[in-house]
Amino acid sequence: MDGQRAVQEPREIDASGLPMEHAQAVILDALRALAERNEPFAAVLLMPAPPEGRTPTASGDAPSAADRIRTLKLIRPGLTALCRGLAFVAPADIPAERAEAIHSGENLWGCPTTATQDVAAARAWAEDRIRACGISPG
């Protein structure tokens, strides 16, 4: 392999059926696990739709926003070094604060991001990011 590490196909992290607080924790845990493998990667993140009606408050067993921020700060160096891109698949009607986090890209996540409503487009973008890093998919 010419000394280059192989990159797997884009990883898919499906949090689409979870409440948002749990979805964020699942995604951060999955990204941490990917970074800990110490191999370049790209990921497609399937985000949940917003709940009907008003946004519910976090349940008692969901990680707090402060916990999620702490986790992101801990894994960000690994994302910066190894993540070739995060493709968020989210419905159009997500709350403004979630849209802002998704679109904040490298400022928040430490790697390129994109957002779409189309899973196939997200996968194609992630595959392009893997190819763009000069390492062929494994």
Side-chain angles (χ1 to χ4, degrees), residues 27 31 43-47 86-90 101-103 105 109 112-118 122 125:
I27 287 167
L31 292 175
V44 175
L45 311 173
L46 305 177
M47 304 301 291
L86 299 176
F88 292 87
V89 180
I102 287 172
H103 291 289
W109 298 98
T113 65
T114 191
T116 181
Q117 296 172 43
D118 182 348
W125 182 87

Side-chain angles (χ1 to χ4, degrees), residues 5-85:
R5 292 183 284 184
V7 175
Q8 300 300 316
E9 292 296 316
R11 303 304 270 228
E12 197 164 288
I13 302 168
D14 187 355
S16 59
L18 300 173
M20 180 45 59
E21 295 80 15
H22 290 287
Q24 292 168 339
V26 165
I27 287 167
L28 288 172
D29 286 346
L31 292 175
R32 176 181 26 215
L34 287 169
E36 287 173 353
R37 292 178 61 190
N38 204 27
E39 297 173 355
F41 68 92
V44 175
L45 311 173
L46 305 177
M47 304 301 291
E52 295 296 323
R54 68 175 191 82
T55 303
T57 58
S59 62
D61 60 342
S64 70
D67 289 338
R68 293 190 302 270
I69 291 167
R70 242 186 323 276
T71 299
L72 180 55
K73 286 180 179 179
L74 286 172
I75 67 172
R76 190 161 183 247
L79 294 178
T80 299
L82 299 166
C83 183
R84 302 304 179 238

